[in-house]
Amino acid sequence: MDASRLPAIDFGNLVAGVLEGSGMEPRRLRGELAARFRDAHAEVEARRKTGEAGFFDLPRDRPLAARTRRLADTSARRCDALVVIGIGGSALGAAALRDALLPPSWNEPDAAARGHAPSLHILDNPDPDTVSALLARLNPSRTLFNVVSKSGTTTETMSLFLVVWRWLEDTLGAGKAKTRFLFTTSPERGTLRQLATRWDIPALPIPDAVGGRFSVLSPAGLLPAAAAGIDIEAVLAGAGAMARRCSTPDLARNPAGTLATLLHAADTEMGASVQVFMPYSDRLRGFAYWVRQLWAESLGKALDRAGRRVETGPTPLPAFGAADQHSILQLLMEGPRDKVVVFLGREAPGEDVAIPALFPDSPGLAYLGGHTLFGLLDRERRATAEALRRAGRMNMTVMVGRVDAHSAGALFMLFQIAVVYAGALYGVDPLDQPGVELGKTLTRGLMGGSGHEVPSIPPPDPRWRV
Amino acid sequence: MDASRLPAIDFGNLVAGVLEGSGMEPRRLRGELAARFRDAHAEVEARRKTGEAGFFDLPRDRPLAARTRRLADTSARRCDALVVIGIGGSALGAAALRDALLPPSWNEPDAAARGHAPSLHILDNPDPDTVSALLARLNPSRTLFNVVSKSGTTTETMSLFLVVWRWLEDTLGAGKAKTRFLFTTSPERGTLRQLATRWDIPALPIPDAVGGRFSVLSPAGLLPAAAAGIDIEAVLAGAGAMARRCSTPDLARNPAGTLATLLHAADTEMGASVQVFMPYSDRLRGFAYWVRQLWAESLGKALDRAGRRVETGPTPLPAFGAADQHSILQLLMEGPRDKVVVFLGREAPGEDVAIPALFPDSPGLAYLGGHTLFGLLDRERRATAEALRRAGRMNMTVMVGRVDAHSAGALFMLFQIAVVYAGALYGVDPLDQPGVELGKTLTRGLMGGSGHEVPSIPPPDPRWRV
C-alpha cells in the first residue's frame, strides 16, 4: 500500500520560529534529538528481536488472522448481537474500531441496515444499571458473548461472565450457556482457557508477548471487528505498512519516532507533562481513549530500567473537537504552560452535509451558508491550532487521511511503536504495569478472596468529613 | 430536605498522618486554610449581592421553573424525540442529567418503556457522520429540536440549526420548519431571540447573569430534562438545599468551601495541578464531563483580577471507575506526584445484580460468588482509594448517596459554588472566558465571515512533516 496514504505528522507548531515565543530549535531536531532517537531505536530493536514486544508481529501473523476471520464467519457473525465483555485493553481496542469503522447508528434495531451483521455492545464496567439495561434488550438465543481477558482472571470481566452465564442458564435452560460464548484469552493459562477446554467453548489466543493495551490487532480487537463485518485484513495491512514506515532509525523519516521524541522532549525539557489528544472527528473518539491507556499505562512508571526511582510519565488527556473547544480551550490558551496538544485531523468524508444559506439578513448566520459541516469542523481545527500557536502553546497534528480500516490499523501501529520508543526515551519499561497490583490485591481482600487478607483501611474520621 | 441526605465529602486521604508520607497538616485546616476561605467566601458573597453569579438564584426562581415545566408539558413532552442542539454548557448539563436520571436504554425504540416520554438526543458537534446518522433515524413530524445558545450566535450550534431547518423544510414542506423548534437563549439579544420573535417560536431565557457553564439549572439543562419526565423541581430543591448548606463562612461546615480550598491548596502548595474526577457509577459519567468544563474554563486564566499575568488553573481529568483503573491507575500510582483524585461514590442502587457462585473449583472465580456487581464496584472504589493512600497519592471522596433528582441538583450546586470559591482563592475571575475568542475569530475568518479578515496562518512546511 502506498506509503503516502499513511497518516502523517505535521509538527511545525512546536518548532522555534513557528511557535510564538518558544519552541524546539530546528538544529536540535537534526542533531541531538536525532541521536537520542537512534539510541532509543536500537534499544527497541533489541527488545523486538528477543520477541518481547509481540504486537510488532501481529500484522504478519496470517494464521492468527485467518483463525479470527474463520471464527467470525462461522460463529460471531451468525448472531443478532455480539457483546464484548472486557476491560482496559480488552475493550478499548474494540471500541476504537467500532467508533472508527462502523456507522454511528450501527446498533439501531434495523438489522437489514447493517447487512444482518450483529449489533456490537461492550460491557466494560461492573455497573448493575448498565448491565441490567443491556441484558433486558438482548435475545439470549440470538446473542453471543465474547469474553476477553488475557489472564482469564480479570475480576470485573469474570464477574460479568458469571452474571451472564447464570442469565443464559436461566433463560435458555441448563447446559445451554456454554453455547453462547466465545473466549479470547491466553493460549494456555488462566480460568477462561480452562473453561474453554472443559466446556468446548471456541477460544482464540492473545499471544503471550502481546500485553493487554497492545492487543487491539490481536483477536481481542479483531474478532469483534470481524463479526461486525470490518475488513480486519485491511486493518492489519495498514498496521504492517506503518510498521515498515516506522522501522528506520532516521528520525526525520520515522513518524512514530518523531511522535515519541517530540512528546518526550516536550515533557522532559519544556514542561509539557499533559499531552492532549484531540481528534476532530467523532469517529476517532474511541481511538483517543485507546491512546490514553496506551500512553498512561506504558509510561507512568516509578522506577526506570536500572531500578532508580523516577516517578515519570506524561498525562494523556483525550479531548474532542470541536465540542471541547467549549470546555478546555480556555485552559489550553491561558492556563499553565504544561501542555502540548496533538490534534488528529482527517480528510473530508465521502458524504458531507451542506449548511444551507438561509436567513441572509441575520448577521450571525450569513457567513455559514454555502459551507459544509466538515468544512466548518476542519476550519475549527485549523483555527484552534493557529490560536494556540499564536499564544505560544505547543501543538502538532496527525493527519489521518481517510478514516478506513487501513488507516485505523496504521494509527494503532503508529502509536504503539511510538510508545515503546517513548519508553526507551524515558528509560522505563513500557510493557509492564506493576502499579495496578496493590489495588487488585486490596479488592480481592475486600471481596473475601482466599489467600488475601482483609485489608486494614483507616476508618472514616468525622474530623475529615463535611 | 434533610441536610444529612446531601452529598458529603471525606477528605481524610489527603491529611497528614492518614496519607502515607505527606499530606496537609490538620492545624492548617483549622487555622490558615479556614482564614483563607473566609476571605474567599466574603469575596464571593460580594459578587453574589451585585447579582453577578446568577446561578445562585436559579433554585429560587419559581416563575422560570414553572415556565420551563409548562413548555415541557405542552410541547417538549409531546413528541417522540427531543434533540438538543448545543455545545459546551449548552449541552453538557443536559447530558449529565440524562446520564444520571434516565435509564441507560432510554432511547430504545420501545416508547412505552419510557412512558411515551420522548427519546433524548444531543447534537453537540458539527460532525457530518453523526448528524446524518441521527437525522436518518428521526421522524421529522414527531421530533422537536431544542436549540440552546445563550448568545444565539454559537457557530457550531447555528450551523446545525441551519442544517436541521433545511431538513425540516425539505421533509415537512415550506413554512413547517418553525413548528418543530424550541429555543433556549438570551432574554433579549442574539440571532435565536430574533428568530423566535420573527417566527413565533417558543423560547425560554438563560438569564443574563448565568453563564453557559453555569446554566444547567436554567432552562438550558432543565427543559430537556423536564421533557424526558425528570422531576426538575426536585433537582432545583436539591440545588437549593446544597446552596444553603454551602452558605457558611466556616470551612469545616461548608462542603463547597472544603472542596475548593483543598483542591486549590493541593494544586498551589503541593503540586497537584491535575485533578482527576472519578465517579464509580456509569450514571455519573456525564457529570464528570460537566465538571471538566466548569473547572477548566472557570479557573484556567492568564490574568488575575488585578491584571497580573498568572497563567494558572488546574487540569481536570475525567475518569470512570472501575474501567479506568485499567487505563490510568498505573500512572496515578507510580507517575509524577502532580495529581489529586476526587472519587465520587454512591450508595447501592435499589436493584443490584447478583454474581452467582458458579464454578466453585475455579480459584479465579470462587471468591466472586455471593457478591453483587455494585458490591464489587464499590469495593474497587475503596480499594483504589486505599492503594493511592498507601502510595502517598492524595485523594478524597464525594459520597453522593442515592443518585436521584435531588442529589443531582445538589451535586451541580456543590461544584458550581466550589468553583467560584476557587476563583477567589486563585485570584481570578471564574465567570469569564476570554481565551476562547481568538479561535472563534480565526474560525470566522476562515469561513469568510464579513468583518473578519482571512487569517494569516503559516503554511505547512515539509521540514516539519513526516
Side-chain angles (χ1 to χ4, degrees):
Chain A
M1 185 66 68
D2 182 6
S4 66
R5 279 195 50 200
L6 289 173
I9 303 171
D10 184 325
F11 57 90
N13 280 359
L14 47 76
V15 174
V18 179
L19 180 67
E20 193 63 39
S22 67
M24 298 190 190
E25 289 298 328
R27 271 176 313 137
R28 295 193 66 232
L29 287 165
R30 304 286 166 243
E32 180 184 342
L33 294 182
R36 183 187 290 175
F37 174 64
R38 274 184 192 278
D39 291 343
H41 180 275
E43 180 179 326
V44 169
E45 279 299 293
R47 292 195 82 178
R48 273 191 63 180
K49 292 194 167 78
T50 63
E52 290 176 72
F55 71 87
F56 277 104
D57 303 322
L58 290 171
R60 285 188 301 269
D61 193 339
R62 295 192 178 285
L64 184 57
R67 284 179 65 186
T68 306
R69 167 57 64 197
R70 199 157 49 243
L71 185 59
D73 288 347
T74 58
S75 282
R77 278 178 68 74
R78 296 186 180 196
C79 58
D80 293 346
L82 181 72
V83 180
V84 174
I85 301 178
I87 200 168
S90 298
L92 291 168
L97 285 162
R98 171 202 62 196
D99 283 4
L101 303 177
L102 301 180
S105 50
W106 185 257
N107 283 353
E108 289 306 301
D110 180 10
R114 51 178 182 264
H116 296 284
S119 57
L120 182 58
H121 312 264
I122 298 174
L123 267 185
D124 70 343
N125 205 28
D127 186 308
D129 293 329
T130 306
V131 174
S132 297
L134 179 60
L135 294 181
R137 40 187 286 222
L138 296 173
N139 178 345
S141 64
R142 297 293 307 152
T143 302
L144 284 176
F145 294 86
N146 179 206
V147 187
V148 186
S149 166
K150 184 178 177 184
S151 69
T153 58
T154 313
T155 303
E156 299 90 345
T157 302
M158 298 314 288
S159 298
L160 292 167
F161 163 70
L162 290 172
V163 167
V164 170
W165 185 284
R166 168 58 56 84
W167 177 74
L168 290 168
E169 296 276 294
D170 287 350
T171 53
L172 299 179
K176 291 291 190 342
K178 64 181 193 280
T179 65
R180 310 312 303 156
F181 283 100
L182 307 168
F183 292 164
T184 306
T185 188
S186 160
E188 295 171 359
R189 295 176 288 106
T191 303
L192 279 180
R193 181 55 63 180
Q194 291 168 9
L195 292 172
T197 305
R198 184 194 314 179
W199 295 105
D200 203 27
I201 292 170
L204 291 175
I206 299 171
D208 283 332
V210 175
R213 58 187 176 275
F214 294 96
S215 70
V216 60
L217 300 175
S218 82
L222 297 188
L223 178 61
I230 289 168
D231 184 350
I232 64 171
E233 290 78 8
V235 173
L236 291 169
M242 183 57 89
R244 286 187 293 279
R245 178 134 174 72
C246 295
S247 56
T248 173
D250 180 0
L251 179 65
R253 293 187 297 115
N254 190 324
T258 298
L259 191 60
T261 304
L262 292 179
L263 289 180
H264 168 260
D267 179 9
T268 59
E269 299 175 5
M270 304 185 74
S273 58
V274 176
Q275 311 201 328
V276 183
F277 294 98
M278 190 163 184
Y280 269 70
S281 167
D282 287 352
R283 299 177 66 182
L284 295 176
R285 287 188 180 218
F287 181 75
Y289 286 114
W290 175 86
V291 170
R292 175 167 72 143
Q293 179 194 8
L294 184 74
W295 223 250
E297 203 168 60
S298 298
L299 303 176
K301 295 292 157 66
L303 305 181
D304 67 11
R305 301 202 69 189
R308 289 175 295 233
R309 181 156 290 270
V310 290
E311 293 181 353
T312 192
T315 300
L317 196 82
F320 307 106
D324 283 333
Q325 291 168 205
H326 298 259
S327 67
I328 64 167
L329 182 57
Q330 167 65 39
L331 176 67
L332 299 182
M333 288 290 291
E334 291 205 352
R337 294 177 188 265
D338 60 353
K339 300 179 182 62
V340 56
V341 180
V342 181
F343 292 101
L344 287 91
R346 57 169 292 193
E347 62 179 59
E351 290 182 37
D352 203 343
V353 174
I355 305 173
L358 305 169
F359 311 120
D361 49 326
S362 279
L365 300 179
Y367 71 105
L368 296 169
H371 285 284
T372 67
L373 287 184
F374 180 80
L376 169 61
L377 189 57
D378 208 57
R379 284 175 177 79
E380 300 227 47
R381 174 183 61 76
R382 292 163 50 208
T384 303
E386 172 63 7
L388 290 170
R389 184 197 70 77
R390 294 186 188 189
R393 308 299 177 123
M394 290 187 285
N395 64 92
M396 66 172 80
T397 300
V398 177
M399 286 307 303
V400 175
R402 275 172 45 182
V403 179
D404 59 20
H406 190 271
S407 64
L411 274 178
F412 288 128
M413 190 56 86
L414 169 65
F415 277 78
Q416 286 178 154
I417 297 177
V419 86
V420 291
Y421 287 149
L425 292 164
Y426 278 95
V428 302
D429 182 357
L431 303 181
D432 67 1
Q433 53 284 332
V436 305
E437 289 308 310
L438 178 57
K440 291 181 180 180
T441 298
L442 295 174
T443 295
R444 290 198 174 201
L446 287 173
M447 295 288 275
S450 74
H452 291 87
E453 54 175 85
V454 178
S456 169
I457 300 179
D461 184 330
R463 287 178 297 168
W464 320 133
R465 179 182 172 92
V466 60
Chain B
M1 184 63 69
D2 182 5
S4 66
R5 279 195 48 199
L6 290 173
I9 303 171
D10 185 326
F11 55 91
N13 280 358
L14 45 77
V15 175
V18 180
L19 180 67
E20 193 64 37
S22 67
M24 297 188 191
E25 290 297 329
R27 273 177 311 137
R28 294 194 66 234
L29 286 166
R30 304 288 165 242
E32 180 184 343
L33 294 183
R36 182 187 292 173
F37 174 66
R38 275 186 190 277
D39 291 345
H41 179 276
E43 182 179 325
V44 170
E45 280 297 294
R47 292 196 80 180
R48 272 191 65 179
K49 293 193 166 76
T50 63
E52 292 175 70
F55 71 87
F56 277 104
D57 303 321
L58 290 171
R60 285 189 300 271
D61 193 338
R62 295 194 176 284
L64 184 56
R67 284 180 64 186
T68 305
R69 167 57 66 198
R70 200 156 47 242
L71 185 59
D73 288 348
T74 57
S75 282
R77 280 178 66 74
R78 297 188 181 195
C79 59
D80 293 347
L82 181 71
V83 180
V84 174
I85 301 177
I87 200 167
S90 297
L92 291 167
L97 285 161
R98 171 201 62 196
D99 283 4
L101 304 175
L102 301 180
S105 49
W106 185 256
N107 283 353
E108 290 306 300
D110 180 9
R114 54 179 182 263
H116 297 285
S119 58
L120 181 58
H121 312 264
I122 298 173
L123 268 186
D124 68 343
N125 206 28
D127 186 307
D129 294 328
T130 306
V131 174
S132 296
L134 179 61
L135 294 182
R137 40 187 285 222
L138 296 172
N139 179 345
S141 64
R142 299 293 305 150
T143 302
L144 285 176
F145 294 87
N146 179 207
V147 187
V148 186
S149 166
K150 184 177 175 184
S151 68
T153 57
T154 313
T155 303
E156 300 90 345
T157 303
M158 298 314 287
S159 298
L160 292 167
F161 163 71
L162 291 173
V163 166
V164 170
W165 186 284
R166 169 56 57 83
W167 177 73
L168 290 167
E169 295 276 292
D170 287 350
T171 54
L172 298 179
K176 292 290 192 340
K178 65 182 191 281
T179 66
R180 310 313 302 159
F181 282 100
L182 307 169
F183 291 165
T184 306
T185 187
S186 160
E188 293 170 1
R189 294 175 288 106
T191 302
L192 278 180
R193 181 57 61 182
Q194 290 168 9
L195 292 172
T197 305
R198 184 194 315 178
W199 296 106
D200 203 27
I201 293 170
L204 291 175
I206 300 171
D208 283 332
V210 175
R213 59 187 175 276
F214 294 96
S215 68
V216 61
L217 301 175
S218 82
L222 296 188
L223 178 61
I230 288 167
D231 184 350
I232 64 169
E233 289 79 7
V235 173
L236 291 169
M242 182 57 90
R244 288 187 292 279
R245 179 131 175 76
C246 295
S247 56
T248 174
D250 180 0
L251 179 64
R253 294 188 297 118
N254 190 323
T258 298
L259 191 60
T261 304
L262 292 178
L263 289 180
H264 169 260
D267 179 10
T268 58
E269 300 173 5
M270 304 186 72
S273 58
V274 176
Q275 310 200 330
V276 183
F277 294 98
M278 190 163 186
Y280 268 71
S281 168
D282 286 353
R283 297 176 68 183
L284 295 176
R285 288 190 179 215
F287 181 75
Y289 286 114
W290 175 87
V291 170
R292 174 167 71 142
Q293 179 193 7
L294 184 74
W295 224 249
E297 204 169 59
S298 299
L299 304 176
K301 296 292 157 67
L303 305 181
D304 69 9
R305 300 202 69 189
R308 289 175 295 234
R309 181 156 289 270
V310 290
E311 293 180 354
T312 193
T315 300
L317 195 81
F320 307 107
D324 283 333
Q325 290 168 204
H326 298 258
S327 65
I328 64 167
L329 182 57
Q330 167 66 39
L331 175 66
L332 298 182
M333 287 290 291
E334 292 206 352
R337 292 176 190 264
D338 61 352
K339 301 179 182 61
V340 56
V341 181
V342 181
F343 293 101
L344 287 92
R346 58 169 291 192
E347 62 180 58
E351 289 182 39
D352 202 342
V353 175
I355 305 172
L358 304 170
F359 312 120
D361 48 325
S362 280
L365 298 181
Y367 72 105
L368 296 170
H371 285 283
T372 67
L373 288 184
F374 179 80
L376 169 61
L377 189 58
D378 207 58
R379 284 174 175 79
E380 298 227 48
R381 175 182 61 77
R382 292 162 51 208
T384 302
E386 172 64 7
L388 290 170
R389 183 195 72 77
R390 293 187 188 189
R393 308 301 178 120
M394 289 188 286
N395 65 91
M396 67 173 80
T397 300
V398 178
M399 286 307 303
V400 176
R402 275 173 46 184
V403 179
D404 59 19
H406 189 272
S407 64
L411 275 178
F412 287 130
M413 190 56 85
L414 170 66
F415 277 77
Q416 287 178 153
I417 296 177
V419 87
V420 290
Y421 287 149
L425 292 164
Y426 279 95
V428 302
D429 183 356
L431 304 182
D432 66 2
Q433 51 283 336
V436 304
E437 289 307 312
L438 177 56
K440 290 182 180 180
T441 299
L442 295 174
T443 295
R444 290 199 174 200
L446 288 173
M447 296 287 276
S450 72
H452 292 87
E453 53 177 85
V454 178
S456 168
I457 301 178
D461 183 327
R463 286 177 298 168
W464 320 134
R465 181 183 172 93
V466 60

